[in-house]
Amino acid sequence: MQQACLEQVLDAFCPMHLVLDETGHICHAGASLQKLRPGSKLLGARFLEVFELRRPRRVGSMRDLLQNAGVKLHLRFRVPPETALKGVLTPLEGGRGAVVNLGFGISLMDAVRDYALVSSDFAATDLAIEMLYLVEAKSAAMEASRKLNLRLQGAMIAAEEQAFTDTLTGLKNRRAMDHVLARLIRQGRGFALMQIDLDFFKAVNDRLGHAAGDYVLQNVARIMVEETREEDTVARVGGDEFVILFDGLTARSALSRVAARIIEKLEVPMPFGEDVCQISASCGTVLSHNYAEPEAGGMLSDADIALYASKNAGRAQHRFFCEDMRRETAAEPRTATPLRRKEEGRPPDDTAGTLALSEAGQAARQVAGQAAGQAAGYEATNLACEASGEAGAELRAPAGAEGCDAGHEAGCAAGDETGCGARSEVCGEVRGEECGEACRQAGGAPADQACSEAQGTTCREAHSQTHS
């Protein structure tokens, strides 16, 4: 009777208890403990055969267990799942056995998961459920914090990406290019820097508007990305200026092939609505191993010099930088200045233009006088006009032009290139003086009449037709 009352009390207050008899066999088990081993028969089984006692050690009998009464026991099931448990043993009066009360300790979460335990499986005063609520609340808070951190990191990465990206083309911008260039220099690896400037891009903007210009820039960006490797950096550093950093690539032949492909593809007309956009590109390249100590500013400056050497050579070309280019630029600063100012869309330098035109006129008159002294009449006039054309053609003679027309066209082209503000009047005077001087020395014929006979029109009529 007493035993039955004890078991009822234990079932109410300790659902994870065991009652052992004098031999150490289980004679009663709490409901929750039986739930942990639904397929095993706990009743009648020897306690030390069901559980492995990890501390204290060297416990092999009921007598050893009783000697550790009141000591915290560390044990686990011998059959999987090997759930870890903690317990305490109390002997029964009269040596009739002992009561062992068990708990999960820090393995509570695993036990709830493995055995689908609910609040009724624990004693009413057990704080395990409250602890579970706290753990769940902490887990929820940690998950919310993790998601927030992920969003913040994503926003930060997006902001950094935007700060290093050209929004129109999707390429890297000047800031990103500077960062990558500094890293390549710091690493000491060989690399190449290619600077690219679009030819005739300003004409597209002026003729078709900025929408067409944006369309062209986006196509240019796509082509450059397609023609470079994934490890290369393509950056838009200005309106129509681009820089490509070739990581680990310094072979001139390979770089020349890349430049040639880019130039070739950029020269393909780009349809824009009912119009067509036509551009080309000039490239200049420097190699890091050509410098004892590469420096970003110096490399960019030398690439710019090579770029404008390509432009001065006729555009749509590629040049590698060499020291001669720097010396030529320093010795003849006016050579590149008018072209550079024209490409940048700034007003030309009138002094340089007038000087170039004056030199062209003097050269034409000298050759005309020499030719006129060798013959007379109509033949001399023809030779003089042809000589005048050859002199003008030294600057920029259009293909197929001849005689006075060639000289006149060259003079006008020189005026266009150097920026002569009053090119119509000056070109007319130059041509008139050339033909007039030649005609007078040849045979005294009026300038207009001689040139009309030689060319089929007067000098000033030809000039007005050219500029109309």
Side-chain angles (χ1 to χ4, degrees):
M1 185 67 181
Q2 247 180 351
Q3 183 76 16
C5 291
L6 176 62
E7 292 174 355
Q8 289 179 1
V9 171
L10 291 175
D11 287 340
F13 293 104
C14 304
M16 290 278 294
H17 76 278
L18 290 169
V19 178
L20 307 181
D21 61 15
E22 298 88 344
T23 61
H25 289 76
I26 301 172
C27 58
H28 184 77
S32 298
L33 198 56
Q34 292 184 17
K35 189 174 181 179
L36 302 185
R37 285 295 181 268
S40 300
K41 187 177 180 181
L42 292 178
L43 298 181
R46 190 166 177 263
F47 177 80
L48 293 178
E49 291 178 351
V50 176
F51 298 96
E52 176 188 355
L53 195 61
R54 309 187 70 183
R55 284 201 305 268
R57 298 184 181 276
R58 299 187 181 88
V59 174
S61 64
M62 183 61 178
R63 178 182 293 182
D64 296 336
L65 283 173
L66 292 175
Q67 288 178 354
N68 288 282
V71 176
K72 189 174 183 179
L73 305 177
H74 295 258
L75 59 160
R76 66 182 179 184
F77 284 105
R78 291 185 180 272
V79 178
E82 299 174 349
T83 307
L85 299 166
K86 292 179 174 59
V88 63
L89 181 144
T90 300
L92 292 174
E93 185 180 359
R96 293 182 291 110
V99 174
V100 182
N101 191 31
L102 301 175
F104 296 109
I106 61 174
S107 62
L108 175 64
M109 296 290 295
D110 295 335
V112 171
R113 180 196 63 219
D114 294 340
Y115 305 109
L117 300 178
V118 294
S119 59
S120 59
D121 295 320
F122 298 90
T125 56
D126 197 335
L127 298 179
I129 299 302
E130 284 77 1
M131 190 177 75
L132 287 176
Y133 288 148
L134 290 176
V135 170
E136 290 180 2
K138 179 182 177 182
S139 299
M142 293 294 292
E143 180 65 17
S145 176
R146 186 185 68 84
K147 290 181 178 179
L148 178 60
N149 285 335
L150 288 176
R151 288 200 298 269
L152 290 176
Q153 290 176 3
M156 184 170 61
I157 292 173
E160 290 178 352
E161 186 69 19
Q162 186 175 6
F164 285 96
T165 302
D166 175 59
T167 55
L168 175 63
T169 62
L171 300 177
K172 301 297 183 184
N173 58 16
R174 180 61 182 259
R175 180 181 178 186
M177 186 275 295
D178 289 340
H179 177 75
V180 175
L181 179 56
R183 175 171 56 80
L184 291 174
I185 293 175
R186 187 170 58 252
Q187 291 175 346
R189 299 173 56 185
F191 67 94
L193 186 155
M194 181 183 293
Q195 190 156 314
I196 302 173
D197 188 85
L198 303 184
D199 303 322
F200 315 114
F201 177 73
K202 185 176 182 297
V204 173
N205 267 340
D206 293 344
R207 185 170 63 91
L208 301 177
H210 290 287
D214 292 347
Y215 172 77
V216 168
L217 291 174
Q218 290 169 345
N219 276 279
V220 169
R222 175 183 55 78
I223 290 171
M224 290 185 180
V225 170
E226 289 176 352
E227 296 303 323
T228 52
R229 305 168 302 171
E230 185 176 351
E231 58 267 32
D232 300 331
T233 299
V234 183
R236 180 188 175 210
V237 297
D240 61 343
E241 299 174 2
F242 299 82
V243 168
I244 303 178
L245 298 174
F246 297 90
D247 188 0
L249 179 61
T250 57
R252 287 174 173 257
S253 57
L255 293 167
S256 296
R257 288 194 297 269
V258 173
R261 290 198 304 267
I262 291 175
I263 293 172
E264 180 183 3
K265 289 195 174 184
L266 291 183
E267 287 185 324
V268 176
M270 302 178 187
F272 181 74
E274 297 180 354
D275 297 297
V276 174
C277 304
Q278 183 75 53
I279 63 167
S280 64
S282 299
C283 311
T285 300
V286 293
L287 306 176
S288 63
H289 60 61
N290 290 338
Y291 300 84
E293 294 183 0
E295 187 268 326
M299 293 186 70
L300 288 169
S301 176
D302 291 344
D304 184 70
I305 292 174
L307 166 65
Y308 277 94
S310 298
K311 284 187 174 288
N312 291 333
R315 297 185 178 90
Q317 297 189 39
H318 172 237
R319 293 285 187 276
F320 286 97
F321 173 78
C322 62
E323 291 295 330
D324 291 342
M325 293 180 181
R326 185 185 290 123
R327 288 192 290 269
E328 290 172 2
T329 302
E332 300 182 10
R334 283 196 298 262
T335 302
T337 300
L339 179 58
R340 185 187 298 261
R341 294 172 66 88
K342 183 176 181 182
E343 290 295 329
E344 294 173 352
R346 294 187 287 157
D349 186 347
D350 290 341
T351 303
T354 304
L355 179 61
L357 187 58
S358 175
E359 291 173 352
Q362 291 175 6
R365 284 194 291 273
Q366 280 183 344
V367 178
Q370 294 171 2
Q374 298 172 2
Y378 174 80
E379 295 295 338
T381 302
N382 226 8
L383 288 172
C385 291
E386 289 175 359
S388 174
E390 293 173 1
E394 290 181 3
L395 283 178
R396 187 180 172 187
E402 297 179 359
C404 283
D405 286 341
H408 170 67
E409 292 289 338
C412 292
D416 288 342
E417 190 67 29
T418 56
C420 177
R423 60 176 180 268
S424 298
E425 180 181 352
V426 176
C427 289
E429 292 176 359
V430 170
R431 186 166 187 251
E433 289 175 7
E434 293 166 3
C435 293
E437 181 69 16
C439 292
R440 282 194 296 274
Q441 293 187 22
D448 288 350
Q449 179 181 349
C451 288
S452 177
E453 293 173 354
Q455 299 294 334
T457 182
T458 65
C459 294
R460 296 194 182 277
E461 287 175 347
H463 177 273
S464 63
Q465 291 177 10
T466 302
H467 288 282
S468 61

